[in-house]
Structure formats: structure tokens, C-alpha cells
Amino acid sequence: MRSQRACYFDDVIVNETTTTRGAVHTLALCIMSELDAIDEVNARFNAFAQIHHVPDAARRTFNIAFDDLLNNIVTYAYGGAPDQRIDVVIQ
């Protein structure tokens, strides 16, 4: 049985909704507060970006931002505690 606090990489949600401005694509996943999980976020985002034709320069910029933001959350906000959940939603 899964804990309410735990999250798993198979808990990835990819969704498309339509608005008056067109389709909105969403990638939602969660990681536990471990530095190794940042690579998985980048890998999932890269696959999502490729499917939705995000330019390489923009994809690389997002990868740098994920590295920096998630590293800061894990290291400073959670003090390196590996048992904290981080939800990542990209639209």
C-alpha cells in the first residue's frame, strides 16, 4: 500500500486540455527530495518537450532551471531530508 506522502515515477500525468487559445499540454509528476531524482525530471521533461516540439534552446533553459530550483528545494528547503514530496507541474 502506498503512503500518502510517497510518490512514484509511474504517477506521471500527461494531459491535454483545450482553451480558447488552443491546446494546453500538461506534464505532472512528483519526486521525493533526493538529488538523483532531478535527472528523472529532466528526462521526463525532455521527452515531453520533444513530443510537443519545444525548441532545443528552450528545453536546455528549462533543464538548467529544474537543476537549480530542485537542487535548492532539496538542499535548503528540506535540508537534504529524502522523505519529502515535491510535485512538478509543467504546462
Side-chain angles (χ1 to χ4, degrees):
M1 184 170 163
R2 293 184 180 179
S3 162
Q4 288 184 336
R5 294 217 29 97
C7 61
Y8 301 87
F9 284 121
D10 59 347
D11 291 342
V12 175
I13 299 168
V14 178
N15 190 19
E16 178 179 329
T17 56
T18 303
T19 68
T20 57
R21 301 180 112 187
V24 176
H25 304 279
T26 303
L27 171 65
L29 55 105
C30 90
I31 61 171
M32 296 309 290
S33 54
E34 299 171 358
L35 293 175
D36 291 343
I38 297 170
D39 291 337
E40 184 67 22
V41 171
N42 279 320
R44 299 282 181 148
F45 174 73
N46 290 342
F48 178 81
Q50 183 175 7
I51 290 168
H52 298 292
H53 310 290
V54 174
D56 286 342
R59 181 190 51 76
R60 285 190 298 273
T61 300
F62 274 97
N63 289 155
I64 292 167
F66 292 141
D67 287 343
D68 190 43
L69 291 170
L70 294 171
N71 184 27
N72 286 344
I73 291 168
V74 170
T75 304
Y76 301 111
Y78 293 141
D83 60 343
Q84 301 298 311
R85 178 184 170 127
I86 302 170
D87 292 303
V88 179
V89 179
I90 302 142
Q91 288 188 318

